[in-house]
Amino acid sequence: MVNMNILNPWWEGKEFIKDDRTLREYEEKTYRWEPVLLKTLDLAPNSIYTLRGPRQVGKTTLIKLLIKKLLLNVNEKAIFFWNCDELVDFRELAVILREYLEFSKAHNIKEKYIFLDEIARVKDWQRAIKALKDSGELDSCSLLVTGSHTLDIKYGVE
């Protein structure tokens, strides 16, 4: 069993979002940009979104800003973030996602927001997402995946 709290400190209380390293670094910058997607992206249930782009352009920062915004109106345990850098393949990804889905069920969370950062590092990641979507396990979930390997994400989504 994986300790999901490490990457989701807001589960201990919404105020713990301030401890997030990415957001602290963002707040310390002299010039801060506010991504257009922060205002326009509608994280509708039963949706899968992909965000692709080169490294260090702000994909993770956007996710953390979205999480901070969601925390204003959503149960903190309804928001799940995972950095996929250390996952090897789709099986490990499926295990992590199912653990979170069981966790959310135990906490009676209906609508869920799942953010998977750097998904392109996970071999055959789309197999896990497709299997969970086809089985209905991702019903009532809004899923946003990011990746730096543009072609892998593009073809994986297809």
Side-chain angles (χ1 to χ4, degrees):
M1 183 154 220
V2 205
N3 184 354
M4 296 183 289
N5 291 4
I6 293 170
L7 294 177
N8 297 279
W10 50 85
W11 288 357
E12 298 298 320
K14 293 181 180 194
E15 68 276 9
F16 288 101
I17 187 70
K18 70 179 177 5
D19 296 333
D20 182 84
R21 180 180 179 192
T22 303
L23 287 179
R24 277 196 327 263
E25 289 172 359
Y26 172 80
E27 292 297 329
E28 291 169 359
K29 298 222 184 279
T30 305
Y31 300 102
R32 288 185 290 271
W33 56 273
E34 187 169 295
V36 174
L37 282 176
L38 189 58
K39 293 181 181 177
T40 59
L41 183 61
D42 177 25
L43 295 171
N46 299 316
S47 299
I48 299 173
Y49 304 93
T50 61
L51 181 61
R52 305 181 306 256
R55 296 192 56 73
Q56 301 299 311
V57 297
K59 296 180 300 294
T60 303
T61 302
L62 172 65
I63 286 176
K64 298 302 180 73
L65 290 169
L66 284 167
I67 290 170
K68 184 177 178 183
K69 182 178 172 184
L70 281 169
L71 284 169
L72 297 173
N73 301 309
V74 172
N75 181 315
E76 59 270 14
K77 290 178 175 63
I79 303 168
F80 177 68
F81 172 83
W82 197 260
N83 182 315
C84 298
D85 280 335
E86 295 182 5
L87 297 180
V88 174
D89 63 20
F90 69 95
R91 290 178 191 90
E92 289 181 358
L93 177 61
V95 167
I96 294 288
L97 289 171
R98 285 191 171 111
E99 280 187 31
Y100 170 68
L101 293 169
E102 284 301 313
F103 169 86
S104 65
K105 186 187 250 184
H107 287 87
N108 201 29
I109 304 296
K110 302 295 181 220
E111 287 188 12
K112 295 164 279 300
Y113 301 87
I114 300 173
F115 299 92
L116 301 174
D117 202 17
E118 292 299 342
I119 193 90
R121 295 188 183 277
V122 180
K123 184 176 180 1
D124 296 329
W125 64 270
Q126 65 277 8
R127 290 179 63 184
I129 302 301
K130 183 179 183 319
L132 291 165
K133 185 70 174 161
D134 288 351
S135 70
E137 293 171 87
L138 291 179
D139 287 354
S140 300
C141 291
S142 176
L143 175 65
L144 173 67
V145 299
T146 73
S148 300
H149 300 111
T150 306
L151 291 176
D152 177 63
I153 298 291
K154 179 180 177 185
Y155 296 120
V157 169
E158 291 173 4

